[in-house]
Amino acid sequence: MPQYEYSKWDGSQRFTPQSAEKAFDELSEYLLHHGDQVLRQLDRFDDDDTPEIVELLQRHGLIERDGEGKFAVSPKGVRRIQRNALTELFQTFNRDTIGKHESPHKGSGAVRHDDSRPYVYGDSLADLNLLETMKNAFVRRGGGVPIGIERDDWVVYETEHQTRAATVVLIDMSGSMGRFGKYGMTKKVALALQAMVRAQYPTDSLEMVGFYTLANRMTERQLLNSAPKPVGLFDPRVNLRISLDRPLPRQVQHFTNIDAGLKLARSMLTKQGAENKQIIVITDGEPTAHIEGREAVLIYPPAEKTAMATLAEARRCASAGIRVSSFALIEDYFYLGLVNFVEEMARVTQGVAAYCSADDLGKYVFDSFVGGRRRRKASR
């Protein structure tokens, strides 16, 4: 239980009201874990009895009314949450400075290295290493002044060619993700990744997909408002087929369909012209659903049939030149099957597999995004 200490107010203490930013940051923590049902609580107030703190958040442009008159986080509020998530995560682990995506292809680029090479026709003189060039001219003439510089004296800095990347992050929204703060931390990592891409990699494409019994693309605001699907079936054994052409019943939305997520991500990435393409999968359970034709097949406990269908789709992603990185949120020995599955997915895709706690997820995902998906190209 929290501990409080009280003292008698004698009139001399100055009252400092809570700032809008502080109140919004506290509201954001609830949004990360519980989704937009937190905002729905604010909708209960009429305009005449809206609390002062809510009016303060509106005046500062952190929340707003949408087209239906319901409260929603404003674009300004979303950006603040993303920045705060990025700052918090980077305070929890030590990192090197983040630059652009690296490539061994040497050529014109904004990342300058300390090493140099002789000038080649077509090189930009903006990359001229003046000190080394002067030294070459001085040695060639045997010293003395004035120093005459010839073309053979020119030396330029090596630069690194920068590449664009397209990434789709697959976020598990199954019922079990609501336990132990796993979904809240996953959302925080995804929001922080959005902030980093906007600041450091503005030419990159980053999209979010939530997968459960099906899979759907999520905007920034939809990601913030999202929550795990509530468990609606408690049968010890399930074997169902659900038509994709009819609305999905609420009671069967909590299954884990990585296959559907991979299919959607592959479709999205094939439309991207980026050189590097990657899928990052964050999950806490083995797949319990897959797609067959126009049906979703739900099987629990997890079955080999579903695993094989999911691995086949992962292999198709790899064949399309997409790198697949899988991160399994592990709590105890109960998740041994999940460990085996993500390792097998890494094997068939020649990708990355890691298992970690929710607290360590940020470091793994950021390391994968920044440095774990480079494409090799021959030097010119």
Side-chain angles (χ1 to χ4, degrees):
M1 294 293 292
Q3 300 294 318
Y4 300 96
E5 292 185 5
Y6 299 90
S7 60
K8 185 177 180 180
W9 184 66
D10 60 10
S12 63
Q13 299 96 329
R14 181 179 178 183
F15 173 71
T16 304
Q18 188 177 35
S19 69
E21 288 76 13
K22 176 66 174 176
F24 181 75
D25 291 344
E26 294 179 358
L27 176 68
S28 301
E29 284 299 315
Y30 288 101
L31 279 170
L32 287 173
H33 293 281
H34 305 292
D36 68 346
Q37 62 176 300
V38 176
L39 296 173
R40 301 291 68 82
Q41 298 300 314
L42 302 182
D43 294 334
R44 298 183 304 168
F45 298 108
D46 297 327
D47 292 337
D48 295 334
D49 63 352
T50 301
E52 183 179 349
I53 189 65
V54 176
E55 294 178 347
L56 183 65
L57 295 178
Q58 287 182 278
R59 287 199 302 272
H60 281 74
L62 296 169
I63 64 174
E64 61 187 11
R65 297 274 191 179
D66 62 17
E68 299 178 354
K70 296 182 179 180
F71 279 110
V73 177
S74 68
K76 177 182 177 180
V78 173
R79 298 291 184 271
R80 180 176 179 84
I81 294 173
Q82 290 171 336
R83 290 194 302 269
N84 288 349
L86 181 63
T87 300
E88 180 179 334
L89 285 178
F90 270 69
Q91 289 174 345
T92 62
F93 51 85
N94 295 323
R95 297 190 53 83
D96 296 330
T97 57
I98 296 179
K100 301 293 188 289
H101 301 295
E102 296 179 1
S103 166
H105 176 59
K106 302 297 183 182
S108 177
V111 180
R112 176 176 288 180
H113 295 272
D114 291 334
D115 53 326
S116 303
R117 59 173 173 79
Y119 171 84
V120 176
Y121 178 76
D123 286 335
S124 172
L125 292 182
D127 296 322
L128 186 68
N129 185 336
L130 185 59
L131 179 61
E132 290 297 320
T133 298
M134 296 285 288
K135 184 189 298 184
N136 288 344
F138 186 81
V139 172
R140 178 178 52 78
R141 292 177 58 89
V145 292
I147 300 176
I149 300 176
E150 299 181 2
R151 177 170 170 174
D152 289 343
D153 298 325
W154 291 0
V155 174
V156 294
Y157 287 107
E158 282 279 20
T159 59
E160 190 172 89
H161 178 71
Q162 297 170 16
T163 61
R164 291 177 58 243
T167 302
V168 175
V169 180
L170 298 184
I171 298 175
D172 190 345
M173 298 179 67
S174 63
S176 58
M177 284 289 288
R179 301 198 300 262
F180 308 112
K182 289 179 290 188
Y183 195 74
M185 179 55 70
T186 299
K187 282 172 62 175
K188 183 174 293 186
V189 171
L191 290 163
L193 198 58
Q194 289 173 334
M196 187 183 74
V197 168
R198 182 175 290 107
Q200 301 290 337
Y201 311 107
T203 62
D204 274 16
S205 166
L206 176 67
E207 297 188 84
M208 302 291 163
V209 167
F211 66 91
Y212 42 103
T213 300
L214 299 179
N216 286 304
R217 186 184 314 202
M218 291 191 289
T219 64
E220 291 183 340
R221 184 175 288 182
Q222 288 171 337
L223 170 64
L224 179 60
N225 290 340
S226 66
K229 303 298 182 181
V231 178
L233 283 181
F234 299 93
D235 297 348
R237 304 191 70 84
V238 176
N239 197 323
L240 295 173
R241 287 179 175 269
I242 305 295
S243 173
L244 301 181
D245 299 319
R246 291 195 293 269
L248 184 66
R250 180 177 175 83
Q251 66 267 26
V252 296
Q253 293 185 10
H254 61 278
F255 285 75
T256 307
N257 198 335
I258 301 176
D259 177 40
L262 290 171
K263 281 180 165 60
L264 178 55
R266 179 165 60 89
S267 173
M268 294 162 61
L269 289 173
T270 55
K271 301 173 184 177
Q272 293 286 342
E275 180 181 5
N276 294 343
K277 299 178 181 181
Q278 174 179 236
I279 296 173
I280 297 176
V281 184
I282 302 174
T283 183
D284 77 332
E286 297 175 76
T288 54
H290 65 278
I291 302 297
E292 289 185 7
R294 296 298 303 165
E295 291 183 321
V297 182
L298 318 182
I299 305 177
Y300 185 85
E304 182 179 1
K305 179 181 180 180
T306 299
M308 296 306 295
T310 306
L311 292 174
E313 178 56 37
R315 190 178 292 110
R316 284 189 283 271
C317 292
S319 298
I322 301 170
R323 183 183 179 97
V324 179
S325 302
S326 305
F327 300 94
L329 300 177
I330 302 299
E331 295 165 12
D332 51 40
Y333 66 89
F334 177 77
Y335 292 85
L336 181 61
L338 175 58
V339 171
N340 294 336
F341 175 77
V342 296
E343 288 182 346
E344 183 64 14
M345 192 152 71
R347 187 188 67 80
V348 302
T349 62
Q350 296 185 334
V352 173
Y355 28 95
C356 58
S357 67
D359 291 339
D360 294 328
L361 179 64
K363 177 173 174 56
Y364 280 94
V365 171
F366 274 65
D367 283 344
S368 175
F369 179 83
V370 175
R373 60 198 206 2
R374 301 170 190 165
R375 294 292 185 269
R376 299 299 176 187
K377 295 177 63 178
S379 299
R380 71 177 184 183

